[in-house]
Amino acid sequence: MKIACRILKLIDNSIGTTISLIGISFLICLPGNVFSKIKGNNISSSLIQSAFNPKTASWNIDWPGRISQYDLVYKSPPIDPMQGIALGNGDVAALVWCEDTKIVIVLNKCDLWDDSQTGKPETWDEKYDFYTTQRHACRIEIDFKFPVFNTLYLTDFKARLSLADASLSLRGSSPFGDLNLKAFIDHQSGILFCELGNSFKEEVPLKISMEHFGSRTFSMWYTRMRRDATIGLPGTEALADGNSIFITQKLSGGKFAVGGTVLQSNGLKVNCSREHSRCTSIQVTGNREKKIQLAFSVTSPINGDPVAEVKSKLSGANRKGLEPFKQEHAAYWKAIWNRSFMDYGDDYLNNLWYLTMYYANASQGGKYPGRFNNGLWSWNNDVQQWNFYFHWNQQQIYWPLNAAGFHDLVAPYLDFRFNSLRFAKKDAKELYNAKGAFISDVTNRNGYNRMDSNVKDNHTPVAEIALDFWRQYQFTSDKKFLKEKALPFILEAARFFESLFVKEGDGLYHAKEGNGYEGSVVLHDGLTELVYARTLFTNALEALKVAGADIPEAQRWKELLDHLAPLPVVKASNGLIIKGDSGYKINQGIYSGTSVQGDEIIGAGWGIKENKMLTTWYKTDDPEYAFLVSGDTSRNNKCEFRVYDGLFPAVPRSPVYPSGLVGLSQKGDPLFDVMTATTLLYGSEGMGWDPAPIVMARLGLARELALNLDQFPVRWQFFLNGWGHISSEVKEDGDGTSYFKTNLVNVVGSPTGEKVPFPAWPFRHMSMEAMSVLATAMNEALLQSYDGTISVFPAFKGSKTARFTLHAQGGFVISSEIKAGKVQWIAIKSLYGNPCKLELPWNIALLYSNLNRKSQKLSGETVVFKTKTEESFLLIPEGQNLQSWSVVAEKPSANEKVKYHPSGKTQLGIPRMF
């Protein structure tokens, strides 16, 4: 039986039989009673069958099938950009779709920013459409001249997004002939390579045009518009030269160029011409069968000649040839995918996880992070919905990435935040007369804060970002990063946060006043400020300790921590949680009937104007708020709760996530019980950016999380390429309805306050938050390490089978497998030689290392063992015979079908529709 408390043990046990493990001989401890009955959840001795090979510490799953089983397959053309196939290398991105006679490719780059010339701060109204904004690079059109993508004439079509090598393939047939395209954006150079061919019944010119039409940004298209259609148009020039075409665009920080060239023409005639100042084209003639290779490149804005730079890059590509680029690119992406492995026991969820990781790798590796809206795949000229970085939304892209091993994708975001520190410190001084740094929920690419009444009292972004810096260090153990970037940022955040608290008559430090996240209600002792004070000061003190540094403020922060006001806890309103003979039960919402430990829930804080303690949600019968659904369809249209006007819906999640203050390590504490009751009472997320499923995972609510994730794609995966959105209203409208939908918007600058109906269709967009929330919840269900303790399958429903390779804090790569609720084995690789703290899923485990001939017997609820850099370990339950391990090779095939969610309400790919 497991003991009640956690025991930390360093054990060195007896030696026994020798076998080969992870490429080296071991002495395995096999006690005399190894085949005796095992207590608790240990596994009786039996054949271990797994695709994991303990000798190589890797999965014996064929490449590329391991990843290509999650490819996107289109059996009809993607005729709309929101169905498009997305490519990218993190810095440069392309979105591809079809229009009647054409393949359309919109090319973007992460640093094509045009800065506001009117100074800061940037406000919503008077500078609307003159904000600092991102500009698109160009639109490429490949025109076959025949309606080869028109439903009337299609005889065959297939397109694929190949995840294994981040490439696109497309082929189509019609009475006019056949066509094909293969494309990828090279991981290193950012060059878009295309292999293009067609075989038509008659010879027609193949035209490849490249154009740039700047435009207004329409960042708040749904509330306002400015009528000056010339905005964004100046500064464009088109050129043609030999076998190449070019477009240049002047921005505030210099001029960028896009170039396109024919790498291989196969004897065809190539003619390049400038059509006008905004368009240039390549025309290929000479045979009814055409086969060519193309390359497109875009530069950053520079003060010199960008055309010379792009010419040099394309010339280098021509000399090297396409094939070496393809081979290097494929090898790079194979290495990317080998960092982690996800099999949640649900093919559809697996597919969304891999797509989410792909889109992050394709959009988050450049100097400036791809924004939460559309990533780097904005498609309609220079339209940039909400063209700022909104902290609450942007941070969510990075939530699942450390666990997946993509620390390098988090780094550009943290660099962006670190580079804004000088502005944040200035704003803290000027706006709050405070030390430290203040970061608004809304910032532009330079790090300038947007400051007005909507955001000035939201103090928590800088603390949340500081925790992102700390988390990056915990995963990477990078002392240089800690000392040069993480620690300076964390300290400035802590200095600002100190100014938010005052010691009152009770001897405790109270939060003076502020909003909860993006809310508007001003709170005293607001939940989010109290939560992040606890985590921020705790981590600041720990960071100082690790870095071997000391500062005068440290003692004050310790004093503040020791005397910090408690989190607001209130009794749930009458009838929401009831007490019966068997204890307390949830009596409202989708988890009605679930047992809890008490009737207390977390409050939002004391409303200063309202003069009372507030909770974020309250009971209502208003059908407008009937968006909380459950497995019980009879409840689908019944509203349970409404958000208190002016409070942000994610506030009651904050003690658990993303703060990390409360989780399974606190199980048994009163606050853990409060957060469990709160989470079960409030139920599922009401917006795609709500971390409710992650909170469920952190609290070990496996059953509730399973129900949530079963339904998650239905609610938030809006687009058939795996893209999500944050608002249920968008999905309810549907594309068909939104084609004709209009919003009544203000005309900016109108002296009469004119309002006009304005179409919604040209401004559709995806949002990256929801799928990142899903991926994070899946990670946390299988592996948690937020508090330094590694726990496998802490929130995974017992009846399923799952397996994974994920990264843990402390610099560990963890692989494990569960079958029918029983953890089979755990493999651990130590990247940096830190001590490993592990929660055992069995009463007694055997630990094997590739650096030590002795095995260890481990017991207790939690164990700690020393590791060395690159040392690998394998743990199995006592009673299991390692010699019987059988590696079962798997050979998954590339996906060849459109995938449908079990509900039938959402899908991945497009079926044949002709």
Side-chain angles (χ1 to χ4, degrees):
M1 182 179 295
K2 288 188 176 182
I3 57 176
C5 61
R6 294 175 175 267
I7 302 177
L8 308 182
K9 305 185 74 172
L10 287 169
I11 306 173
D12 183 11
N13 241 3
S14 59
I15 61 176
T17 307
T18 302
I19 71 161
S20 177
L21 176 68
I22 319 178
I24 189 167
S25 292
F26 288 86
L27 293 174
I28 302 180
C29 173
L30 297 176
N33 64 345
V34 68
F35 298 110
S36 62
K37 185 176 180 181
I38 306 300
K39 297 180 180 180
N41 68 338
N42 285 333
I43 302 170
S44 299
S45 180
S46 61
L47 179 67
I48 304 175
Q49 292 185 318
S50 176
F52 188 83
N53 188 339
K55 293 184 179 181
T56 61
S58 62
W59 297 95
N60 195 347
I61 304 175
D62 268 9
W63 183 268
R66 172 182 159 186
I67 302 299
S68 61
Q69 62 182 312
Y70 303 117
D71 287 354
L72 276 178
V73 172
Y74 294 70
K75 296 187 177 181
S76 293
I79 59 173
D80 183 85
M82 301 314 295
Q83 301 175 336
I85 299 175
L87 300 174
N89 76 334
D91 176 46
V92 177
L95 185 62
V96 184
W97 70 94
C98 306
E99 292 181 355
D100 203 45
T101 68
K102 304 172 183 176
I103 294 174
V104 179
I105 305 173
V106 171
L107 197 63
N108 291 311
K109 193 172 186 300
C110 76
D111 59 356
L112 303 185
W113 286 87
D114 209 9
D115 289 332
S116 169
Q117 300 301 295
T118 55
K120 79 173 193 80
E122 300 181 354
T123 56
W124 291 129
D125 292 314
E126 63 269 21
K127 297 176 185 177
Y128 187 71
D129 275 324
F130 294 104
Y131 305 143
T132 292
T133 191
Q134 203 166 26
R135 302 291 182 186
H136 78 294
C138 72
R139 175 182 169 113
I140 301 165
E141 293 186 351
I142 302 172
D143 194 346
F144 298 97
K145 303 300 182 181
F146 293 113
V148 289
F149 302 114
N150 190 308
T151 303
L152 300 178
Y153 304 109
L154 280 170
T155 58
D156 193 20
F157 182 87
K158 186 173 182 180
R160 173 186 299 273
L161 172 60
S162 173
L163 294 183
D165 61 358
S167 69
L168 171 156
S169 61
L170 179 154
R171 59 177 173 79
S173 298
S174 71
F176 312 107
D178 303 326
L179 61 92
N180 60 80
L181 169 70
K182 293 181 179 179
F184 68 94
I185 294 179
D186 178 56
H187 77 283
Q188 184 66 40
S189 65
I191 296 174
L192 169 63
F193 290 101
C194 299
E195 296 177 89
L196 181 63
N198 69 259
S199 178
F200 289 158
K201 293 181 178 178
E202 57 184 288
E203 206 276 324
V204 294
L206 175 62
K207 184 178 180 181
I208 301 101
S209 61
M210 198 165 69
E211 64 181 35
H212 180 99
F213 286 88
S215 72
R216 291 163 283 179
T217 59
F218 295 102
S219 63
M220 298 188 73
W221 72 102
Y222 56 96
T223 62
R224 64 202 73 186
M225 57 90 72
R226 189 185 291 272
R227 283 203 166 120
D228 184 358
T230 67
I231 297 172
L233 279 174
T236 310
E237 185 52 68
L239 308 163
D241 179 8
N243 277 5
S244 301
I245 54 177
F246 307 94
I247 282 179
T248 64
Q249 176 64 46
K250 186 178 180 180
L251 302 178
S252 59
K255 185 185 292 186
F256 74 85
V258 189
T261 192
V262 179
L263 295 178
Q264 191 178 94
S265 62
N266 294 301
L268 297 169
K269 183 179 179 181
V270 176
N271 180 56
C272 297
S273 62
R274 176 187 185 274
E275 300 198 3
H276 52 73
S277 63
R278 305 175 191 281
C279 182
T280 182
S281 65
I282 300 170
Q283 188 162 276
V284 182
T285 57
N287 199 315
R288 65 181 185 86
E289 294 187 2
K290 299 179 177 66
K291 185 177 181 181
I292 61 173
Q293 293 178 356
L294 301 167
F296 300 89
S297 181
V298 55
T299 73
S300 298
I302 62 173
N303 292 324
D305 180 9
V307 174
E309 182 178 315
V310 79
K311 278 185 177 180
S312 175
K313 202 167 190 179
L314 293 174
S315 295
N318 204 357
R319 289 191 300 270
K320 183 174 179 178
L322 177 58
E323 200 57 35
F325 280 103
K326 289 173 68 174
Q327 293 174 4
E328 293 167 7
H329 179 75
Y332 172 84
W333 275 91
K334 183 176 181 179
I336 285 289
W337 290 123
N338 279 335
R339 295 187 193 179
S340 51
F341 171 66
M342 170 62 70
D343 183 357
Y344 201 77
D346 184 308
D347 182 71
Y348 200 90
L349 292 181
N350 289 347
N351 219 135
L352 288 177
W353 189 91
Y354 278 102
L355 284 169
T356 301
M357 296 304 108
Y358 168 76
Y359 291 133
N361 274 278
S363 67
Q364 300 298 318
K367 181 178 179 180
Y368 293 97
R371 291 189 311 108
F372 63 97
N373 264 356
N374 283 334
L376 294 180
W377 298 289
S378 295
W379 56 274
N380 190 4
N381 301 78
D382 287 336
V383 170
Q384 293 285 340
Q385 297 89 345
W386 297 311
N387 62 335
F388 292 87
Y389 288 102
F390 283 68
H391 162 69
W392 178 255
N393 310 75
Q394 189 70 29
Q395 66 175 334
Q396 300 190 11
I397 298 173
Y398 312 102
W399 284 352
L401 299 186
N402 286 120
F406 300 130
H407 320 306
D408 52 330
L409 300 183
V410 181
Y413 170 68
L414 297 180
D415 286 344
F416 160 68
R417 291 302 191 186
F418 184 80
N419 292 335
S420 71
L421 200 55
R422 63 189 189 277
F423 304 119
K425 291 170 68 175
K426 185 178 179 182
D427 282 347
K429 179 65 176 176
E430 293 182 354
L431 301 172
Y432 299 94
N433 193 29
K435 295 179 180 179
F438 167 80
I439 292 182
S440 167
D441 187 68
V442 184
T443 58
N444 73 9
R445 70 104 174 194
N446 295 304
Y448 292 152
N449 288 317
R450 172 194 160 209
M451 289 303 305
D452 56 37
S453 58
N454 293 318
V455 296
K456 69 180 180 63
D457 291 325
N458 179 4
H459 303 132
T460 56
V462 72
E464 294 170 82
I465 298 166
L467 298 184
D468 292 336
F469 275 91
W470 181 239
R471 182 169 60 245
Q472 180 82 338
Y473 169 72
Q474 288 178 302
F475 274 94
T476 64
S477 293
D478 186 340
K479 289 288 183 66
K480 186 174 185 289
F481 167 77
L482 174 65
K483 292 179 179 180
E484 294 182 0
K485 292 184 177 180
L487 183 59
F489 193 100
I490 291 168
L491 295 182
E492 296 300 345
R495 289 181 179 115
F496 176 72
F497 241 66
E498 182 184 350
S499 73
L500 304 177
F501 289 82
V502 62
K503 195 171 189 179
E504 296 185 359
D506 58 1
L508 300 178
Y509 288 90
H510 294 263
K512 291 182 281 190
E513 59 180 51
N515 302 145
Y517 292 148
E518 293 183 5
S520 59
V521 173
V522 180
L523 303 166
H524 176 68
D525 275 344
L527 175 64
T528 55
E529 295 189 347
L530 290 170
V531 163
Y532 287 104
R534 280 172 167 80
T535 54
L536 177 58
F537 291 129
T538 298
N539 290 331
L541 294 172
E542 180 63 20
L544 285 167
K545 180 181 177 182
V546 173
D550 191 19
I551 59 173
E553 297 100 321
Q555 192 57 42
R556 294 203 303 272
W557 297 344
K558 187 177 185 306
E559 156 77 8
L560 197 154
L561 270 175
D562 291 341
H563 298 86
L564 194 59
L567 302 190
V569 174
V570 299
K571 284 193 177 296
S573 299
N574 289 338
L576 295 183
I577 300 176
I578 59 174
K579 186 177 183 180
D581 294 339
S582 59
Y584 291 95
K585 289 187 177 181
I586 301 293
N587 193 45
Q588 198 78 22
I590 63 174
Y591 299 123
S592 180
T594 305
S595 296
V596 291
Q597 295 299 310
D599 61 356
E600 291 185 320
I601 61 173
I602 204 74
W606 183 266
I608 294 176
K609 182 179 178 181
E610 296 77 7
N611 196 31
K612 64 179 180 179
M613 180 63 71
L614 301 176
T615 57
T616 307
W617 298 77
Y618 64 94
K619 184 179 177 181
T620 180
D621 294 323
D622 187 345
E624 181 182 351
Y625 289 82
F627 52 70
L628 297 177
V629 297
S630 74
D632 179 3
T633 56
S634 67
R635 303 176 67 86
N636 282 357
N637 297 315
K638 182 179 178 182
C639 182
E640 304 286 2
F641 292 101
R642 177 174 178 171
V643 178
Y644 189 94
D645 191 25
L647 292 178
F648 195 66
V651 164
R653 321 290 190 195
S654 63
V656 179
Y657 201 87
S659 73
L661 181 65
V662 179
L664 280 169
S665 292
Q666 287 71 43
K667 190 170 185 178
D669 294 348
L671 189 56
F672 180 91
D673 296 337
V674 167
M675 289 312 305
T676 301
T678 304
T679 301
L680 291 170
L681 179 63
Y682 290 162
S684 299
E685 68 287 339
M687 296 288 285
W689 41 245
D690 188 334
I694 310 173
V695 171
M696 294 175 188
R698 284 284 178 92
L699 296 174
L701 300 174
R703 182 183 70 86
E704 291 77 12
L705 176 62
L707 174 62
N708 183 287
L709 295 191
D710 283 346
Q711 300 172 358
F712 198 94
V714 176
R715 294 200 295 272
W716 309 116
Q717 185 225 320
F718 288 14
F719 304 107
L720 51 79
N721 53 13
W723 283 346
H725 208 287
I726 60 170
S727 172
S728 57
E729 293 179 1
V730 175
K731 193 161 191 178
E732 289 170 1
D733 288 340
D735 278 348
T737 304
S738 63
Y739 188 85
F740 298 102
K741 181 180 178 180
T742 60
N743 295 304
L744 192 63
V745 304
N746 296 305
V747 177
V748 176
S750 168
T752 61
E754 183 183 5
K755 293 187 176 183
V756 296
F758 199 59
W761 185 256
F763 307 102
R764 291 164 300 134
H765 65 91
M766 64 86 155
S767 297
M768 299 183 75
E769 306 97 298
M771 294 302 107
S772 294
V773 167
L774 171 65
T776 307
M778 292 171 67
N779 292 345
E780 295 286 333
L782 303 186
L783 177 71
Q784 291 182 24
S785 63
Y786 73 95
D787 65 340
T789 301
I790 296 168
S791 177
V792 298
F793 304 104
F796 189 76
K797 192 174 180 181
S799 60
K800 285 187 175 183
T801 294
R803 52 195 180 163
F804 68 86
T805 295
L806 293 168
H807 292 238
Q809 291 186 14
F812 300 99
V813 182
I814 312 296
S815 302
S816 190
E817 188 168 11
I818 191 171
K819 295 180 179 179
K822 297 184 183 297
V823 179
Q824 304 293 296
W825 51 268
I826 303 171
I828 301 173
K829 183 176 182 179
S830 175
L831 299 180
Y832 311 116
N834 293 321
C836 182
K837 184 180 178 183
L838 174 70
E839 183 176 349
L840 285 182
W842 318 290
N843 292 339
I844 302 174
L846 300 177
L847 173 71
Y848 306 102
S849 163
N850 68 334
L851 299 180
N852 192 338
R853 294 177 61 85
K854 293 183 179 181
S855 66
Q856 294 185 39
K857 182 188 289 187
L858 306 181
S859 62
E861 189 168 302
T862 304
V863 297
V864 173
F865 52 91
K866 295 178 181 179
T867 77
K868 296 179 180 179
T869 300
E870 295 299 312
E871 187 174 9
S872 295
F873 300 87
L874 185 71
L875 294 95
I876 58 173
E878 184 188 40
Q880 187 60 274
N881 188 353
L882 191 57
Q883 292 174 298
S884 68
W885 191 299
S886 174
V887 179
V888 181
E890 295 179 7
K891 298 182 178 181
S893 301
N895 179 40
E896 297 292 345
K897 64 183 181 181
V898 177
K899 294 186 180 181
Y900 294 91
H901 188 263
S903 68
K905 296 180 180 179
T906 192
Q907 68 191 59
L908 291 167
I910 308 178
R912 180 166 179 152
M913 299 192 295
F914 54 88

